[in-house]
Amino acid sequence: MKPCSKALLLTTCMTLSSVTLGAQTLTIATVNNSDMIRMQRLSKTFEAEHPDIKLNWVVLEENVLRQRLTTDIATQGGQFDVLTIGMYEAALWGAKGWLQPMQDLPASYELDDVFPSVREGLSVKGTLYALPFYAESSMTYYRTDLFKEAGLSMPERPTWEQIGEFAAKLNKPDQEQYGLCLRGKAGWGENMALITTLANSYGARWFDEQWKPEFTGPEWKNALSFYVDNMKKSGPPGASSNGFNENLALFNSGKCAIWVDASVAGSFVTDKSQSKVADHVGFTYAPHQVTDKGSAWLYSWSLAIPASSKAKDAAKTFSAWATSKQYAALVAEKDGIANVPPGTRASTYSEAYMQAAPFARVTLESLKVADPSKPTLKPVPYVGIQLVTIPEFQAIGTQVGKLFSAALIGQTTVDQALAAAQQSTEREMKRAGYPK
């Protein structure tokens, strides 16, 4: 066979080579977070056990991953065999028949061990369309040493108002110590995941029961004002560029006193190989304000197989391996039990894990109470805590995220951002024919 031309796609070249060798190549699209990079590293074990399957990894930033996968699945492009997606995509794409049902899993997979809420979030009418790699809620991370030095005490269930007060007292920008780190990077799954839970806690909702947006109400005004004011006062410079990975890096380098984000970060902030503050991290529940409802999110990064894949059996074999108890045991052996992917299996929360992972209790309790079917103080017509499970939300949420990010950097006021969000969302929902 002639060498692959530079003009050919790498995946095409690999596939051609694999056919020659009698092996199948799986192209796996995943997100560039630490758990997924660990999966890529440990997958050498899978390849050793399955010499007939080769793995080709495409690792992308979160917003880019979502855009690439949405385009590919909607056009049936067939670029990928395994997709890293969340509950939003699993529900919508499964209903459209774009994903292969995850049926006939081996008995050793122990599907009943997976938490019911996670299984339900990845299913449509009782059919499972993705296997959960990890599941998360959100929580508050804080520096116990800084709190002690300042004579402050973090409540077990803080309000956002208290978080703002603590952040102001701990903000020392001249020492590169910032009081509060929150997501500012625009995106429906980036800043809007955090801002929506903050808004929920202030009693806000995306839509009323007739699908009319509510951004001009007092609840959204109070929530977004808190976010913008406190991030300007106590946040790091360049916060509008910061998502999960950027804030994790800031926290681990000792530059954040308080960080509210995904519970999956628990193992990263306590890992001495990547965190300078591993011995000084406290964990408590995500902040609430006028209500607890919807104050902490529910999400799962999961592995799914597009219907367009030509290697479905091999893709299912890999997906089952990467989300299995056996994989969890491999992580525990290689990287320590605290690094086992959290939130998906009851068996993970053994006594040994609970002792090794100081964040485990808050994660588990937060996951237990998260209810996407009743996400807000007032009734809503949608399902989803930090998102709205309708096809239009991906575009609407990203547009609103851009408007709120602009308010964060002072390009617009809070009132202007909310008015623009109301107008653009009303327009898109009318165009989409809501209420349906």
Side-chain angles (χ1 to χ4, degrees):
M1 178 181 290
K2 293 180 180 180
C4 288
S5 161
K6 288 182 180 179
L8 288 175
L9 291 171
L10 176 61
T11 51
T12 306
C13 296
M14 292 187 69
T15 303
L16 290 171
S17 302
S18 298
V19 169
T20 305
L21 297 171
Q24 276 188 305
T25 294
L26 295 179
T27 298
I28 303 166
T30 197
V31 67
N32 64 338
N33 69 31
S34 298
D35 272 306
M36 299 307 183
I37 291 168
R38 177 183 288 121
M39 175 173 67
Q40 183 182 3
R41 171 168 54 85
L42 295 180
S43 67
K44 291 179 176 60
T45 299
F46 175 85
E47 289 183 292
E49 294 171 354
H50 301 84
D52 57 329
I53 301 174
K54 302 299 177 188
L55 306 179
N56 174 37
W57 294 85
V58 179
V59 182
L60 301 167
E61 187 270 331
E62 188 169 327
N63 283 340
V64 176
L65 175 75
R66 290 190 169 114
Q67 291 165 1
R68 285 275 300 274
L69 296 192
T70 300
T71 299
D72 189 65
I73 196 97
T75 61
Q76 301 294 294
Q79 290 184 52
F80 308 108
D81 300 294
V82 178
L83 313 176
T84 305
I85 62 172
M87 292 177 170
Y88 173 79
E89 295 92 349
L92 295 174
W93 297 355
K96 287 181 176 290
W98 292 350
L99 301 176
Q100 183 74 3
M102 289 294 191
Q103 297 171 328
D104 303 319
L105 294 166
S108 60
Y109 188 78
E110 296 186 39
L111 186 59
D112 288 345
D113 185 41
V114 177
F115 290 125
S117 61
V118 177
R119 293 202 309 267
E120 289 163 11
L122 299 172
S123 299
V124 179
K125 296 180 179 178
T127 298
L128 188 66
Y129 283 99
L131 299 180
F133 184 75
Y134 68 74
E136 64 184 26
S137 187
S138 47
M139 68 166 60
T140 302
Y141 303 94
Y142 64 99
R143 289 279 300 283
T144 55
D145 54 337
L146 300 182
F147 268 70
K148 186 175 181 180
E149 287 169 14
L152 301 175
S153 178
M154 175 68 82
E156 184 179 42
R157 297 184 182 274
T159 64
W160 277 109
E161 209 168 87
Q162 288 172 320
I163 292 294
E165 291 168 0
F166 293 146
K169 291 176 181 176
L170 296 172
N171 191 52
K172 298 178 181 178
D174 57 322
Q175 300 174 27
E176 283 195 293
Q177 176 182 305
Y178 306 103
L180 183 61
C181 289
L182 301 175
R183 297 185 188 192
K185 182 188 290 185
W188 69 269
E190 280 282 8
N191 65 339
M192 290 315 300
L194 184 283
I195 294 173
T196 299
T197 56
L198 191 161
N200 291 343
S201 73
Y202 273 84
R205 53 186 177 174
W206 269 81
F207 302 100
D208 69 14
E209 291 168 279
Q210 283 72 49
W211 289 102
K212 184 177 180 180
E214 290 202 322
F215 291 110
T216 51
E219 297 89 354
W220 269 104
K221 171 75 178 287
N222 292 338
L224 191 62
S225 296
F226 173 90
Y227 171 80
V228 170
D229 292 348
N230 283 276
M231 286 296 285
K232 283 182 176 179
K233 182 167 61 177
S234 303
S240 63
S241 299
N242 294 345
F244 173 81
N245 283 334
E246 293 80 8
N247 281 324
L248 172 62
L250 284 169
F251 192 88
N252 278 348
S253 63
K255 294 180 180 179
C256 293
I258 304 170
W259 177 36
V260 181
D261 211 297
S263 60
V264 74
S267 65
F268 311 146
V269 299
T270 53
D271 180 353
K272 292 183 180 180
S273 70
Q274 59 177 299
S275 174
K276 292 181 179 178
V277 298
D279 292 329
H280 306 290
V281 184
F283 309 87
T284 197
Y285 294 92
H288 65 282
Q289 192 60 35
V290 303
T291 181
D292 289 331
K293 275 201 168 186
S295 60
W297 67 61
L298 175 65
Y299 192 75
S300 172
W301 277 119
S302 306
L303 303 182
I305 303 166
S308 56
S309 171
K310 294 178 173 59
K312 294 183 180 69
D313 288 344
K316 187 168 80 168
T317 299
F318 172 78
S319 299
W321 174 83
T323 59
S324 67
K325 291 173 70 173
Q326 290 72 28
Y327 176 81
L330 179 65
V331 172
E333 177 193 340
K334 299 292 185 181
D335 294 352
I337 191 171
N339 290 300
V340 168
T344 61
R345 290 179 173 272
S347 59
T348 298
Y349 291 84
S350 64
E351 186 176 342
Y353 178 75
M354 297 295 278
Q355 289 180 353
F359 47 85
R361 182 183 64 84
V362 174
T363 300
L364 185 59
E365 294 304 314
S366 298
L367 287 169
K368 282 180 180 178
V369 299
D371 185 358
S373 67
K374 296 176 182 177
T376 54
L377 184 61
K378 298 176 185 175
V380 290
Y382 57 85
V383 173
I385 298 173
Q386 77 281 13
L387 51 82
V388 179
T389 310
I390 57 173
E392 295 78 16
F393 182 75
Q394 193 162 351
I396 290 172
T398 295
Q399 175 60 25
V400 173
K402 290 176 181 176
L403 294 168
F404 290 177
S405 187
L408 179 60
I409 61 176
Q411 286 183 346
T412 64
T413 66
V414 166
D415 286 336
Q416 288 169 336
L418 289 168
Q422 181 77 14
Q423 186 177 28
S424 66
T425 305
E426 279 183 353
R427 183 176 61 246
E428 290 304 314
M429 293 298 282
K430 185 176 180 180
R431 184 180 297 167
Y434 285 84
K436 293 185 176 179

